[in-house]
């Protein structure tokens, strides 16, 4: 299983590559939707990325700011899902 | 001297001088079509919904009944009462109608097949012959996260299966159902061109600004007379122009998916009356706390709804853009 740091690095790399803005870096606790890094399609593609890369499936109920508003929140959401799986 | 800004209230978008406003829209519509577009009448696609009904009523008053043609464009997923309401509307204004069933055109495009194929990938036991399906947003608009669609399948026994739509399937379902609006647009232009008429677009202010229309579909028209009116104002205009009460009382639907679906479930995530007022507040820079007090919501909720409006306008900018040279 990937370490939290590896997980964070992968997710951050994906978000920076997928972002519609020209930012080179993003703080781990920055609000990625509020800052315009990702829009609704960006969120949809992020969910696809999480499924393909970590086999994490997201339900309607899990789609909330607590799980998705920043890189830290996404990492913690994915870590929890993976630990439950294991 | 600059007029002092009115305090925010639930009456702030109510049209006081409705007769004058309607006459102004009608006069402008007449000039736009006859002078600017140089066409001699109007084609209106009518669905029995409030927006197209108001556009037909305005057109009948602007050009005279004999210079307006109302076209019903049903397909196999359309609701049965749409036609009956559209006929009643046309009779009210003495306008001639035509029915153009677009099911065969949609079959030719593979609209239904492509849509069902995507639904089946998400819900493998979807039975296209008997199950009803729709897509909807389930999130709370007051939560600060972009809206994502889910697919909901309703079985004949009432069982409901709902799943978040993956990107690929969401895009395929939307792209295939958009054949409906684009086929309607093609048919409206066929009749407009053969009669030297203009196509009257029916989107209201929310549809235009929040991007709740199909580019080159219902967004493809020559003039949009209610494009800058809030939904509650469209109802006010409808009442003033004498649109049949059954149409005014009908819940606005998308009439696009097999399962019944209101526009609120599908896209807007809140009742029209609230959305109109909060949108007005956002657009006119009313502070969230002032709007919240009137609407019975917290400042934080209004702030999040403002952010959601901002996101919707930004992400749908592409729909309103003309081709780039």
């Amino acid at each position: 299983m990937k370490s939290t740091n590896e997980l964070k690095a992968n997710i951050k790399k994906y978000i920076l590559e997928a972002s519609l803005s020209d930012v080179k870096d993003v703080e781990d606790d920055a609000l990625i939707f509020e800052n315009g890094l990702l829009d609704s399609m960006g969120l949809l593609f992020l969910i696809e990325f999480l499924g393909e890369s970590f086999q994490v499936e997201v339900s309607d109920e899990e789609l909330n700011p607590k799980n998705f508003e920043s890189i830290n929140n996404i990492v913690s959401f994915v870590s929890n899902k993976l630990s439950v799986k294991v | 001297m600059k007029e002092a800004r009115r305090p925010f209230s639930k009456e702030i978008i109510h049209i006081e001088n409705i007769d004058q406003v309607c006459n102004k829209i009608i006069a402008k519509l007449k000039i736009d079509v006859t002078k600017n577009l140089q066409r001699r009448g109007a084609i209106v696609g009518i669905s029995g919904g409030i927006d197209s009904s108001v556009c037909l009523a305005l057109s009948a008053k602007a050009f005279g009944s004999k210079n307006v043609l109302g076209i019903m464009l049903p397909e196999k997923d359309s609701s049965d009462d749409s036609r009956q309401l559209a006929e009643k509307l046309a009779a009210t204004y003495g306008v001639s109608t035509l029915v153009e069933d677009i099911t065969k055109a949609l079959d030719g495009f593979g609209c239904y097949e492509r849509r069902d194929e995507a639904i089946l990938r998400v819900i493998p036991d979807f039975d296209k012959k008997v199950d009803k399906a729709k897509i909807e947003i389930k999130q709370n608009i007051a939560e600060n996260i972009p809206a994502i669609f889910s697919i909901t399948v309703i079985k004949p026994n009432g069982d409901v299966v709902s799943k978040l739509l993956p990107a690929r399937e969401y895009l395929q379902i939307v792209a295939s159902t958009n054949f409906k609006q684009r086929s309607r647009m093609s048919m409206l232009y066929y009749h407009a061109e053969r009669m030297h008429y203009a196509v009257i677009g029916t989107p209201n202010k929310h549809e235009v600004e929040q991007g709740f229309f199909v580019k080159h579909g219902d967004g493809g028209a020559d003039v949009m007379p209610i494009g800058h009116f809030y939904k509650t104002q469209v109802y006010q205009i409808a009442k003033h122009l004498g649109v049949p009460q059954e149409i005014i009382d009908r819940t606005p639907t998308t009439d696009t998916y097999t399962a019944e679906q209101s526009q609120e479930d599908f896209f807007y995530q809140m009742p029209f009356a609230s959305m109109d007022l909060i949108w007005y507040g956002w657009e006119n820079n009313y502070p969230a706390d002032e709007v919240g007090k009137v609407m019975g919501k917290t400042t934080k909720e209004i702030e999040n709804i403002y952010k959601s409006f901002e996101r919707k306008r930004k992400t749908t900018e592409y729909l309103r853009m003309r081709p780039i040279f």
Side-chain angles (χ1 to χ4, degrees), chain A residues 31 33-36 38-41 43-45 47-48 57-60 63-65 67-69, chain B residues 138-139 143-150 162-168 170-171 304 307 311 314-315:
Chain A
L31 302 174
F33 304 109
E34 198 154 330
N35 293 349
L38 296 183
D39 62 6
S40 55
M41 277 314 299
L43 173 57
L44 209 47
F45 287 126
I47 294 168
E48 183 178 74
E57 215 174 288
V58 182
S59 71
D60 283 334
L63 200 62
N64 55 48
N67 293 334
F68 282 94
E69 71 182 0
Chain B
K138 294 192 155 184
Q139 295 146 264
E143 280 199 346
N144 192 20
I145 194 163
I148 296 289
F149 283 93
S150 297
S162 187
K163 278 186 101 174
L164 206 63
L165 269 174
R168 189 169 148 233
Y170 164 70
L171 292 171
N304 284 344
K307 281 176 193 160
R311 271 198 301 269
K314 196 174 166 209
T315 54

Side-chain angles (χ1 to χ4, degrees), chain B residues 92-163:
Chain B
T92 303
Y93 297 100
V95 167
S96 302
T97 58
L98 276 179
V99 180
E100 292 279 11
D101 190 318
I102 57 166
T103 305
K104 280 185 185 168
L106 293 174
D107 261 331
F109 279 126
C111 162
Y112 306 111
E113 204 183 328
R114 292 171 206 268
R115 176 199 62 192
D116 295 343
E117 179 193 84
I119 296 174
L120 270 166
R121 287 204 299 265
V122 185
I123 301 181
D125 69 342
F126 169 61
D127 182 345
K128 65 181 181 184
K129 289 199 183 86
V130 292
D131 295 347
K132 306 258 185 210
K134 63 180 174 182
I135 68 171
E136 59 188 334
I137 298 170
K138 294 192 155 184
Q139 295 146 264
N140 180 351
I141 193 171
E143 280 199 346
N144 192 20
I145 194 163
I148 296 289
F149 283 93
S150 297
I151 178 85
T152 298
V153 166
I154 302 161
K155 298 279 178 192
N157 64 3
D159 285 356
V160 176
V161 190
S162 187
K163 278 186 101 174

Side-chain angles (χ1 to χ4, degrees), chain B residues 45-52 73-82 102 106 115 132-137 149-152 173-174 177-182 184 202 204 207 211-214 218 231 235 250-269 272:
Chain B
I46 47 173
S47 62
I50 191 77
D51 297 323
S52 61
L73 298 142
E75 45 90 23
K76 70 176 186 185
D77 295 335
S78 299
S79 83
D80 296 332
D81 58 351
S82 297
I102 57 166
L106 293 174
R115 176 199 62 192
K132 306 258 185 210
K134 63 180 174 182
I135 68 171
E136 59 188 334
I137 298 170
F149 283 93
S150 297
I151 178 85
T152 298
I173 291 171
V174 171
T177 54
N178 283 355
F179 277 125
K180 297 186 180 188
Q181 286 83 356
R182 294 202 175 101
R184 290 190 174 114
T202 62
N204 61 52
E207 290 174 332
F212 187 34
F213 65 90
V214 175
D218 48 336
K231 191 81 176 183
Y235 278 102
R250 191 189 195 203
T251 304
T253 66
T254 59
D255 213 13
T256 298
Y257 294 91
T258 50
E260 274 188 27
Q261 178 185 50
S262 74
Q263 292 182 358
E264 285 170 21
D265 285 345
F266 178 62
F267 191 79
Y268 294 122
Q269 304 166 268
F272 287 118

Side-chain angles (χ1 to χ4, degrees), chain B residues 17-73:
Chain B
N17 47 348
I18 187 77
D19 192 47
Q20 216 179 317
V21 169
C22 285
N23 288 339
K24 210 169 150 187
I25 308 170
I26 292 162
K28 183 174 184 302
L29 183 57
K30 195 170 178 180
I31 290 173
D32 283 340
V33 169
T34 58
K35 301 281 181 260
N36 297 332
L37 298 168
Q38 307 219 332
R39 292 295 180 272
R40 61 188 191 119
I43 292 288
V44 189
I46 47 173
S47 62
I50 191 77
D51 297 323
S52 61
S53 298
V54 165
C55 287
L56 185 104
L58 291 167
S59 300
K61 293 193 184 290
F63 312 111
S65 306
K66 67 176 181 15
N67 296 314
V68 179
L69 180 61
I71 303 188
M72 293 170 255
L73 298 142

Side-chain angles (χ1 to χ4, degrees), chain B residues 43 187-199 222:
Chain B
I43 292 288
M187 187 59 82
L188 293 177
Y189 270 95
Y190 162 74
H191 287 288
E193 286 171 354
R194 79 175 174 84
M195 298 179 80
H196 204 61
Y197 281 8
V199 172
D222 295 314

